[in-house]
């Protein structure tokens, strides 16, 4: 006998309240279930029999769900098979809860349709053919060795020891357990191809999501809630998502991925990442301050090393497969020291052309290498490189360089070799990979930033990027590099370049780059400019004045700027910044940023700004998927006296200890 049937017994006991549905994806379904459950509780938690009976007695209702279907509408994690059933249940609950029946039923209809149409981030893994893998998943193209196009875009794959380790991870994901695998190896060692060969073994029901637009970390944060079960999260060049290149978003990305992996309602998902060894070391080594705590927790213990060279058994397997693929035969015959994948990716050709390049051409390449090792790009403006290059030449080389050197250098570095891209590859103007929304500097004519984006941009070959980081690590670029960067580098890259100049004692160049970044509204750059200039000239308030005049108020770094201004003793500038009413403009969907801003406003004695920020009720807007950041906000709400907001904040409760981080 059911609990509902026992409700009519003489003891008068009512059944227990129905359990709340635990829905991980899609978000509209989670919202639908939460809405129905809220209505159910507001209605006094009527029994299933009561709801079903009232639906059956009302011929005007669109559906006629049975008792079991009513239960599934409210408590099951799946979408109700029939929209009419969900609407009928909602109408009955609205009557008991004294809610607006039409409003609730309209919301239920809308959410049901959105949930029914949800497909999830990415696209089916079955849609990825070899050509798409090359263009979308960033697998290196191979030397063509004069092969017939019928052989396919990718050479025959030779499994190695690390592939067996990857298979274990992929098999576990296919069996229903969320997993992460991080392949670690040098450039062109076969990392990305190994990930693809593992992922393609998943059932056709799986999807693959490669977040890249508008920037990689922004894409992750925007679409992470829409990652469905049975999805591969593809993080090639994972440092661009988690490391310095990701800026303050990197730790948010890492925390979000950690939550995704441990949420059973969202699984199974499979995170596949690739890193160079130096990036792995940086992201997994504890430092003070601990810059990559979430990234370290996400990655540690999931490393799969990819060796530089083929072993003897690998070479034997290569020889056996060479008769069917001339590319493998060519690699077997010419690759040195077992570096087969490097040969196939054209590394020897690239290195040979780099070393044989004329002086002016090599100067252009060095400018690109230096830009990349200082975290600019990956899309590099040609104007920057050509203006920087002359500074790399000796006086004798400059005198002997012809007037058409730019044209000759560009032809040299972009020439394809044996079917692989050249040293520099033109970026299609409609697909800027590092485009960010920033207002143009006031000193520029309107539309200057848009015109800059339309100028040619190039990407440096991956292996030469790594080569430059290794072989030019102790080189300080010439003055022309920094001055050209100030004129042509993308605004999103100016802060990193300014820091690089400062760290090399080039204080004038550093301040100019940071000043330009601040002019584009970058609060991180403004804070660094104030800090650095105060070190050099403690009584000069011009950087502080520039900062408050140009910084935008809709970013997460306002707290740092307030801190920097106060430490520099720029009290007038602090007052001027507060007069711009930052509390009304600061984003309130980032609990960590809100907590830090509340803390700095309190320390500045800006009680009115604290009140204005609290009046926007940040507790009602922050996502709760990153509980570490929610704890920060909870503490600050209590310190600010916002006890009601602290109590209403979903997630961590006052009596519970912070989780171990």
């Amino acid at each position: 006998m059911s609990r509902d049937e026992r409700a009519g017994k003489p003891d008068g006991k009512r059944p227990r309240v129905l359990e709340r549905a635990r829905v991980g994806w899609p978000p509209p379904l989670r919202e639908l279930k939460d809405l129905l459950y809220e209505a159910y509780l507001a209605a006094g938690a009527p029994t299933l029999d009561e709801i079903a009976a009232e639906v059956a007695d009302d011929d005007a209702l669109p559906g006629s769900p049975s008792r079991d279907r009513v239960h599934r509408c409210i408590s099951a994690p799946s979408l109700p098979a029939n929209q009419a059933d969900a609407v009928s249940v909602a109408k009955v609950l609205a009557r008991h809860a004294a809610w607006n029946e039409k409003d609730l039923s309209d919301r239920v209809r809308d959410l049901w349709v959105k949930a029914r149409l949800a497909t999830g981030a990415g696209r089916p893994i079955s849609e990825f053919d070899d050509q798409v893998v090359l263009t979308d998943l960033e697998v290196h193209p191979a030397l063509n060795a004069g092969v017939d196009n019928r052989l396919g875009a990718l050479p025959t794959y030779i499994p190695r020891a690390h592939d067996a380790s990857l298979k274990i991870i992929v098999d576990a994901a296919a069996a229903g357990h969320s997993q992460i695998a991080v392949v670690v190896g040098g450039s062109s060692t076969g990392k990305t191809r190994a990930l693809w060969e593992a992922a393609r073994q998943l059932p056709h029901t799986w999807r693959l999501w490669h977040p890249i637009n508008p920037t990689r970390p922004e894409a992750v944060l925007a679409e992470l809630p829409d990652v469905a079960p049975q999805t591969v999260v593809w993080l090639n060049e994972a440092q661009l998502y988690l490391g310095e290149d990701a800026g303050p978003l990197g730790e948010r990305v890492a925390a979000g991925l950690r939550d995704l992996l441990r949420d059973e309602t969202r699984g199974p998902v499979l995170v596949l990442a690739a890193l160079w060894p130096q990036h792995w070391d940086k992201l997994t080594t504890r430092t003070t301050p601990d810059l990559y705590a979430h990234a370290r927790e996400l990655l540690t213990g999931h490393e799969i090393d990819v060796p530089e060279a083929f072993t003897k058994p690998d070479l034997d397997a290569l020889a056996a497969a060479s008769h069917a693929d001339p590319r493998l035969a060519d690699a077997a015959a010419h690759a040195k020291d077992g570096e087969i994948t490097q040969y196939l990716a054209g590394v020897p050709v690239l290195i040979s052309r780099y070393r044989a390049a004329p002086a002016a051409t090599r100067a252009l390449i060095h400018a690109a290498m230096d830009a990349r090792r200082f975290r600019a790009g990956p899309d590099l403006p040609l104007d920057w490189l050509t203006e920087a290059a002359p500074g790399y030449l000796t006086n004798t080389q400059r005198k002997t360089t012809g007037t058409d050197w730019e044209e000759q250098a560009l032809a040299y570095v972009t020439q394809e070799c044996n079917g692989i891209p050249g040293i520099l590859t033109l970026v299609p103007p409609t697909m800027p990979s590092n485009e960010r929304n920033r207002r143009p500097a006031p000193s520029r004519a309107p539309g200057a930033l848009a015109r800059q984006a339309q100028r040619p941009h190039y990407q440096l070959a991956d292996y030469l990027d790594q080569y430059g980081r290794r072989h030019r690590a102790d080189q300080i670029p010439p003055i022309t590099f920094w001055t050209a960067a100030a004129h042509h580098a993308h605004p999103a890259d100016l802060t990193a370049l300014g820091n690089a100049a400062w760290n090399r004692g080039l204080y004038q160049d550093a301040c100019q780059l940071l000043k330009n970044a601040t002019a584009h509204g970058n609060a991180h750059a403004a804070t660094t400019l104030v800090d650095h200039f105060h070190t050099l000239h403690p009584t000069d308030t011009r950087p502080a004045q520039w900062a408050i005049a140009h910084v935008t108020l809709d970013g997460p770094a306002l707290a740092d700027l307030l801190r920097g201004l106060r430490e520099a003793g720029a009290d007038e500038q602090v007052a001027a910044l507060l007069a711009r009413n930052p509390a009304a403009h600061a984003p309130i969907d980032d609990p960590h940023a809100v907590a830090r801003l509340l803390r700095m406003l309190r320390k500045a004695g800006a009680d009115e700004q604290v009140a204005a920020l609290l009046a926007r009720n940040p507790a009602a807007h922050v996502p709760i998927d990153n509980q570490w950041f929610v704890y920060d906000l909870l503490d600050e709400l209590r310190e600010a006296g916002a006890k009601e907001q602290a109590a209403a904040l979903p997630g961590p409760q006052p009596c519970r200890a912070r989780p171990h981080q």
Side-chain angles (χ1 to χ4, degrees):
M1 182 179 293
S2 71
R3 293 185 185 276
D4 282 341
E5 291 171 331
R6 290 199 300 269
K9 289 282 186 178
D11 59 16
K13 290 184 179 180
R14 291 183 61 82
R16 294 179 181 176
V17 174
L18 296 176
E19 291 185 0
R20 185 175 187 168
R22 295 182 64 237
V23 179
W25 180 88
L29 178 58
R30 182 169 60 247
E31 189 177 347
L32 171 62
K33 292 293 182 172
D34 288 346
L35 180 61
L36 287 174
Y37 194 75
E38 182 182 358
Y40 163 73
L41 294 180
T47 67
L48 295 174
D49 287 334
E50 289 170 347
I51 299 172
E54 189 165 340
V55 170
D57 290 341
D58 189 344
D59 293 337
L61 293 176
S64 55
S66 64
R67 178 183 179 282
D68 288 341
R69 285 190 176 183
V70 171
H71 182 268
R72 288 197 292 271
C73 282
I74 298 173
S75 291
S78 56
L79 181 69
N82 191 322
Q83 184 196 68
D85 289 348
V87 172
S88 299
V89 171
K91 284 178 174 288
V92 169
L93 295 176
R95 296 168 188 171
H96 284 264
W99 286 9
N100 186 299
E101 186 176 324
K102 182 179 184 304
D103 285 351
L104 181 61
S105 59
D106 286 347
R107 289 176 64 191
V108 167
R109 286 191 185 93
D110 180 59
L111 290 171
W112 188 94
V113 171
K114 289 180 178 177
R116 182 69 178 81
L117 294 176
T119 57
R123 52 177 163 165
I125 206 165
S126 58
E127 293 183 4
F128 287 83
D129 59 21
D130 286 356
Q131 192 58 51
V132 174
V133 168
L134 289 173
T135 57
D136 288 14
L137 300 189
E138 300 166 345
V139 172
H140 288 305
L143 290 163
N144 60 31
V147 302
D148 192 315
N149 289 334
R150 290 175 296 179
L151 285 176
L154 296 175
T156 303
Y157 190 69
I158 307 299
R160 295 189 278 164
H162 57 271
D163 293 291
S165 300
L166 271 173
K167 185 178 186 304
I168 294 172
I169 301 298
V170 172
D171 287 348
H177 308 287
S178 291
Q179 299 287 322
I180 175 173
V182 188
V183 291
V184 180
S187 175
S188 303
T189 53
K191 301 184 301 298
T192 315
R193 177 70 187 277
L195 291 180
W196 167 242
E197 292 300 326
R200 75 190 311 173
Q201 304 306 316
L202 288 163
H204 71 278
T205 53
W206 278 69
R207 303 177 69 83
L208 190 149
W209 174 50
H210 184 198
I212 57 172
N213 188 46
T215 66
R216 296 179 191 238
E218 288 174 320
V220 172
L221 295 175
E223 295 187 69
L224 195 59
D226 200 33
V227 173
Q230 295 191 328
T231 296
V232 175
V233 180
W234 188 268
L235 304 181
N236 188 41
E237 304 285 0
Q239 77 279 0
L240 300 178
Y241 298 90
L242 307 172
E244 282 183 306
D245 293 289
L249 300 183
E251 279 292 88
R252 291 181 59 191
V253 169
L257 291 172
R258 292 181 66 194
D259 284 338
L260 173 67
L261 285 166
R262 68 185 179 193
D263 187 346
E264 294 181 357
T265 67
R266 304 282 302 278
V269 295
L270 174 61
V271 178
L272 295 179
L275 283 168
W276 290 351
Q278 58 266 43
H279 294 314
W280 168 268
D281 292 341
K282 191 164 192 175
L283 291 172
T284 58
T285 301
R286 187 185 297 271
T287 59
T288 302
D290 198 356
L291 300 177
Y292 305 112
H294 285 299
R296 185 179 63 255
E297 294 295 330
L298 174 71
L299 302 174
T300 301
H302 304 289
E303 174 188 14
I304 298 175
D305 290 321
V306 178
E308 298 280 337
F310 274 39
T311 63
K312 178 61 167 60
D314 297 335
L315 292 172
D316 291 341
L318 175 73
S322 295
H323 70 280
D325 192 330
R327 291 167 292 192
L328 298 188
D330 189 46
H334 298 98
K336 297 182 183 299
D337 301 321
E339 294 186 346
I340 301 299
T341 56
Q342 294 90 330
Y343 182 88
L344 288 170
V347 167
V349 177
L350 286 173
I351 292 296
S352 177
R353 286 188 61 76
Y354 159 66
R355 291 173 175 168
T361 303
R362 194 161 56 251
L364 189 79
I365 300 169
H366 284 164
M369 287 179 171
D370 290 341
R372 288 299 292 134
R373 65 189 177 97
F374 295 146
R375 296 171 47 206
D379 300 355
L380 304 174
L382 178 61
D383 292 340
W384 178 8
L385 305 182
T386 55
E387 284 190 22
Y392 289 81
L393 300 175
T394 65
N395 288 334
T396 301
Q397 289 171 335
R398 277 193 290 271
K399 291 177 181 178
T400 58
T401 297
T403 57
D404 61 344
W405 75 267
E406 292 182 22
E407 181 180 346
Q408 292 185 17
L410 190 60
Y412 187 96
V413 297
T414 57
Q415 181 178 336
E416 292 188 359
C417 304
N418 297 335
I420 65 167
I423 294 171
L424 294 180
T425 303
L426 179 65
V427 178
T430 58
M431 300 173 58
S433 67
N434 61 354
E435 184 67 28
R436 298 182 189 270
N437 293 321
R438 294 287 188 271
R439 66 176 183 176
S443 59
R444 293 188 176 188
L449 188 58
R451 288 195 297 273
Q452 181 197 49
Q454 295 171 359
R455 298 285 294 162
H457 287 62
Y458 288 83
Q459 287 189 359
L460 179 64
D462 186 58
Y463 187 85
L464 288 178
D465 181 353
Q466 185 185 58
Y467 183 93
R469 294 171 193 260
R470 184 168 61 248
H471 292 275
R472 295 187 58 78
D474 60 348
Q475 299 295 306
I476 298 179
I479 293 175
T480 55
F481 173 87
W482 306 103
T483 55
H487 285 102
H488 301 295
H490 194 280
D493 297 330
L494 291 171
T495 304
L497 289 165
N499 290 333
W502 180 270
N503 293 336
R504 286 155 181 80
L506 305 174
Y507 299 144
Q508 180 177 340
D509 293 309
C511 289
Q512 184 63 59
L513 289 160
L514 292 169
K515 179 182 177 182
N516 291 2
T518 302
H520 287 274
N522 190 316
H524 287 288
T527 304
T528 307
L529 177 66
V530 171
D531 289 345
H532 286 345
F533 215 90
H534 181 65
T535 300
L536 298 174
H537 304 287
T539 61
D540 193 338
T541 61
R542 287 177 298 173
Q545 293 169 353
W546 180 267
I548 64 167
H550 295 90
V551 70
T552 58
L553 302 179
D554 57 356
L558 280 175
D560 286 337
L561 180 56
L562 270 174
R563 187 268 310 156
L565 292 172
R566 293 182 67 244
E567 291 180 357
D571 296 336
E572 292 184 9
Q573 285 70 38
V574 169
L577 181 61
L578 295 175
R580 292 180 61 190
N581 195 14
H585 300 89
I588 57 175
D589 59 352
D590 181 344
H592 187 54
V594 173
R596 290 167 58 238
L597 183 57
L598 279 172
R599 187 179 305 123
M600 288 299 106
L601 290 173
R602 285 194 301 103
K603 289 184 177 181
D607 296 338
E608 292 184 1
Q609 284 290 295
V610 171
L613 185 56
L614 292 176
R616 296 173 64 193
N617 193 16
H621 295 84
V622 299
I624 62 171
D625 50 353
N626 295 337
Q627 60 176 317
W628 292 269
F629 295 157
V630 174
Y631 275 106
D632 287 337
L633 179 57
L634 184 62
D635 288 344
E636 286 305 317
L637 290 174
R638 292 174 187 151
E639 290 291 334
K643 296 181 180 179
E644 291 185 3
Q645 288 197 42
L649 188 66
Q653 299 301 317
C655 62
R656 294 166 65 181
R658 283 180 180 269
H660 175 69
Q661 298 186 41

